[in-house]
């Protein structure tokens, strides 16, 4: 999976991402100018079957969070700006080819970590070493990403991270990077948020209206 991505995306990144030195741009442009990226440290990103119905889907799958995940060949590639700040290049494979779908800078940060090495370090410190799987999961509807961890004994945990403009974790009285048992995280979300029903989603799709969630 990773080797294929590195090989197939190289030319796309070279064509679509322009790297410049600090001296080549004005001071105002430096924070939005990339000087390097690290494809070897790219973070694979899973999606939910439907992030709008995460809570309901979890219940339908009898509390097995892994069953509501899907792989869509999405990656965050860590990058560095001319002022030394972190950025992420969003890459995805569609219709047989990789494409760059955006660059996210610190102020847009919704990611759990800057590199795979950082994720490994975080999980080792907070969860332990008896881990069989760690996935970064994108949940754009709630403006956050999750680290989903499965342990050898069958336990699973979620560490939520949110964008700066999101208040989801505050609303559930949690903390960014806090370790939740998966069931506890969904229960906290369920107590706080009313999701759209599948019927409402169909109606909004028909009207091309897709809005925000509502609080209880």
């Amino acid at each position: 999976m990773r080797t294929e991505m590195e090989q197939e995306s190289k030319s796309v990144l070279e064509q679509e991402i322009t790297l410049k030195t600090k001296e080549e741009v004005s001071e105002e442009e430096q924070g939005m100018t990339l000087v390097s990226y690290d494809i070897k440290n790219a973070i694979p990103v899973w999606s939910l079957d439907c992030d709008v119905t995460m809570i309901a889907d979890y219940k339908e799958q009898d509390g097995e969070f892994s069953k509501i995940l899907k792989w869509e060949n999405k990656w965050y590639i860590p990058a560095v700006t001319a002022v030394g700040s972190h950025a992420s290049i969003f890459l995805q494979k569609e219709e047989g080819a990789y494409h760059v779908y955006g660059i996210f800078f610190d102020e847009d940060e919704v990611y759990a970590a800057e590199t795979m090495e950082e994720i490994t370090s975080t999980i080792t410190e907070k969860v332990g070493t008896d881990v069989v799987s760690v996935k970064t999961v994108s949940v754009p509807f709630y403006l956050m990403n999750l680290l989903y961890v499965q342990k050898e004994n069958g336990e699973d945990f979620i560490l939520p991270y949110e964008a700066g403009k999101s208040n989801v974790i505050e609303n559930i009285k949690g903390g960014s990077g806090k370790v939740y048992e998966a069931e506890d995280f969904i229960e906290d979300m369920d107590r706080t948020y009313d999701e759209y029903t599948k019927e409402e989603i169909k109606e909004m799709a028909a009207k091309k209206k897709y809005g925000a969630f509502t609080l209880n």
Side-chain angles (χ1 to χ4, degrees), residues 33-172:
T33 298
L34 299 185
V35 296
S36 67
Y37 56 80
D38 183 7
I39 196 169
K40 294 290 185 183
N41 248 315
I43 300 172
V45 183
W46 273 255
S47 303
L48 295 171
D49 283 337
C50 179
D51 55 317
V52 180
T53 57
M54 174 181 70
I55 300 167
D57 291 345
Y58 177 82
K59 293 177 181 178
E60 285 183 6
Q61 293 297 333
D62 297 322
E64 293 192 49
F65 195 82
S66 62
K67 289 187 176 180
I68 66 173
L69 302 181
K70 61 182 176 181
W71 173 244
E72 296 182 307
N73 225 321
K74 296 178 181 179
W75 299 81
Y76 295 151
I77 299 176
V80 178
T81 71
V83 295
S85 59
H86 169 66
S88 291
I89 301 168
F90 178 40
L91 185 76
Q92 183 175 4
K93 188 174 185 177
E94 288 187 323
E95 297 181 352
Y98 282 96
H99 303 278
V100 173
Y101 284 98
I103 302 173
F104 299 92
F105 297 89
D106 278 342
E107 61 267 25
D108 306 312
E109 192 62 79
V110 298
Y111 308 127
E114 297 181 8
T115 66
M116 282 299 299
E117 292 171 348
E118 184 182 339
I119 288 177
T120 300
S121 176
T122 297
I123 296 305
T124 299
E125 176 186 349
K126 294 188 174 184
V127 181
T129 57
D130 56 334
V131 169
V132 295
S133 174
V134 179
K135 293 181 173 69
T136 296
V137 183
S138 175
V139 193
F141 185 68
Y142 289 101
L143 298 177
M144 66 180 176
N145 279 358
L146 313 172
L147 286 183
Y148 174 60
V149 184
Q150 294 174 291
K151 299 187 71 173
E152 292 175 355
N153 62 6
E155 294 179 322
D156 58 347
F157 299 89
I158 287 175
L159 288 69
Y161 294 81
E162 64 186 0
K165 58 185 177 181
S166 173
N167 59 1
V168 171
I169 295 177
E170 178 185 351
N171 287 339
I172 65 173

Side-chain angles (χ1 to χ4, degrees), residues 10-27:
K10 182 178 179 181
S11 61
V12 174
L13 290 167
E14 290 175 349
Q15 293 171 11
E16 299 189 27
I17 301 298
T18 301
L19 301 179
K20 295 183 179 181
T21 65
K22 186 175 183 178
E23 291 71 29
E24 290 180 288
V25 295
S26 67
E27 185 174 346

